[in-house]
Amino acid sequence: MTKSFAAAFITPLILLLCAFLLSIALPGRLAAQEPYFETDTLNEGLGDLPDDISRDTPMSSVESLLYATERGEFEKAAHLLDLSGIDPAEQAARGAELAQMLSILIDRKVMIRWGALADRPDGWLEGGADTTTTGRVRRSIRIDVFELDDHNVPLRLNRIKPANGDPAWVISRQSVANLPQLYEIYGPTPIEKSLPSWAREKALWGMYLWEIIFVPVMLIIALLLGRLTYRGVTLLGRRANTPLGHSIVRALRWPATIAITAMLVGISTRHVLVVSGVVDTFISPAVLFGYIVAITLAAVLIIDELFDWFTLQNAAELADPDNAHLRNIATTISAARKFIVVIAVLVAMGVLLSSATTFQSLGLSLLASAGALTIVLGFAAREVLGNILASVQIALNRSARIGDQLIFEGRYCTVERIAFTYVQLLIWNGNRYIVPVSHFVKDAFENWSIEDVAMIRPIILTLTQEADVDRLRQFFLDSVRNDDGEDTGPIEDAGVSVIEQDVFGKKVRFELPTPHQNTGWDMQCRMRERLLAEAWRLQSEEGLPMLPSAQLRDLPES
């Protein structure tokens, strides 16, 4: 009974307390979400708003701005700017100048995304995760972003409500303040102003006539300059005093070519003649991509050359059993090289993706997300990525080090190089066997250079049924004992066994111990030759049947 009374008494108190807290917090919350910025006055020095200028919605404001500036009515267009930072007495004259500057900037550098401009006074955002019933009210919309000195500045459309008027969508005060500096960077250059009037007329797709002539010529000159740069860096590398300097300069040929080409295109389209937004939509991302590729490629190639310089590259020297530590170093450096390349590529991709304005201007905002780009790249380059990961796996677990000698698919070969997508094997006859890394990892192979490099080389001979195996056994053991040293031994590991018998005779295995895999095969061949010569001597001089050839001639014809 007491518990029921307490519950009935406490619950209303909790509800009253919550209502009190909400009554305190809610007014401030609602004030923070007001769908406009408040100000005392808005453009009081411009007079009344013209009848053909609408500032009610974001779309109508931009449409009115474009309509007025295209007709040269910059005094009217000034009503679409927030001129609060200018003295009211100067707003009329200064506003017209700023409106003209903005018109030129929009024509040259801005790609208006009409889908982001709502045709509602409250700027209601629709689509995507926000449906028409769960959208959100906006009071500031970013139209585009400009590069200004060392930072980016947005061009914004704000909803301003003066104390004695209705809310209006106008270009923000800060964006208006940035117009003079932006005009100096992106406005007409002295060269463009000196062009004849016919060259500055509009042509195809909103482009100026001079752009149709200038852009192809500029690209051809940039390609020719890139070719000259490649040849010049090549000649400079040949004159380097040291082999390392020659290698580094040679590695910079392509990065320098790409960087010079991108730099010429960038300078030509931003300082010589500033191209319009239609052309700049494609040129700016291409120039940015060129710079990133050049820097990344230069870093990767220089590091690659330094690694090659400090790493023993002769596969024959690395295969020496005494150079196991050098094989470990070479493989570790190979792994480090791969990690550096992967990190450099990821950093370059991050820098490229962080340039959001580039992707937005191209309409590739979907690709600007890391998740979407990962899916696209993963599907398109899944084989390449698999090979890269497999090469890193080999370098880390050292199942096959650079310089290791192994048997792969029946071939005796030496690991000469572990690249990103393939393993280069040096076959015993001097040819190179190129194997995809994924295939190399999946297949089993016999590594002769891991741990103890000594091995037993089997020599199998077929002798007659009456052959005296003991005589050959003694000869074999004596030969191993006499040659015990660098090529054979130790004698304790040598052995002779009869492993099989059939109608042709009996098969005898001579187990030849060899300390090095480099000389084991040659010593095996020489020992086989000695055994055959001794067997023939025993047969021809002492009359002991040893080799089955004579016995086969005596068999009756079938």
Side-chain angles (χ1 to χ4, degrees), residues 473-521:
R473 178 183 290 111
Q474 189 61 42
F475 174 81
F476 173 73
L477 295 177
D478 290 342
S479 298
V480 173
R481 187 178 295 106
N482 293 333
D483 292 336
D484 194 356
E486 295 183 358
D487 295 332
T488 62
I491 185 61
E492 293 80 11
D493 294 336
V496 179
S497 304
V498 177
I499 60 173
E500 191 178 344
Q501 185 270 340
D502 56 23
V503 69
F504 297 101
K506 48 191 175 184
K507 297 185 183 298
V508 183
R509 182 177 67 190
F510 299 84
E511 299 171 357
L512 175 65
T514 57
H516 302 311
Q517 75 273 21
N518 291 341
T519 59
W521 189 80

Side-chain angles (χ1 to χ4, degrees), residues 252 254-260 262 288-299:
L252 291 175
W254 277 112
T257 301
I258 298 172
I260 292 296
L288 175 64
F289 183 75
Y291 285 142
I292 293 175
V293 169
I295 294 173
T296 305
L297 196 60

Side-chain angles (χ1 to χ4, degrees), residues 3 104 287 403 455:
K3 293 182 179 179
I104 294 175
V287 171
M455 63 179 63

Side-chain angles (χ1 to χ4, degrees), residues 237-264:
R238 293 175 182 174
R239 297 180 179 179
N241 297 326
T242 61
L244 179 59
H246 168 72
S247 300
I248 292 177
V249 175
R250 183 183 59 184
L252 291 175
R253 290 180 298 181
W254 277 112
T257 301
I258 298 172
I260 292 296
T261 303
M263 184 175 65
L264 177 63

Side-chain angles (χ1 to χ4, degrees), residues 280-311:
D280 188 66
T281 298
F282 299 95
I283 288 183
S284 289
V287 171
L288 175 64
F289 183 75
Y291 285 142
I292 293 175
V293 169
I295 294 173
T296 305
L297 196 60
V300 170
L301 292 179
I302 290 176
I303 293 174
D304 214 38
E305 290 293 338
L306 291 175
F307 279 151
D308 284 341
W309 180 257
F310 293 109
T311 305

Side-chain angles (χ1 to χ4, degrees), residues 450-467:
I450 291 183
E451 300 300 336
D452 189 4
V453 296
M455 63 179 63
I456 303 295
R457 307 287 303 193
I459 302 172
I460 299 177
L461 298 182
T462 301
L463 304 178
T464 62
Q465 306 286 3
E466 303 86 359

Side-chain angles (χ1 to χ4, degrees), residues 36 44 55 160 274 309 533:
Y36 46 73
E44 59 180 339
R55 305 183 301 189
I160 307 296
V274 181
W309 180 257

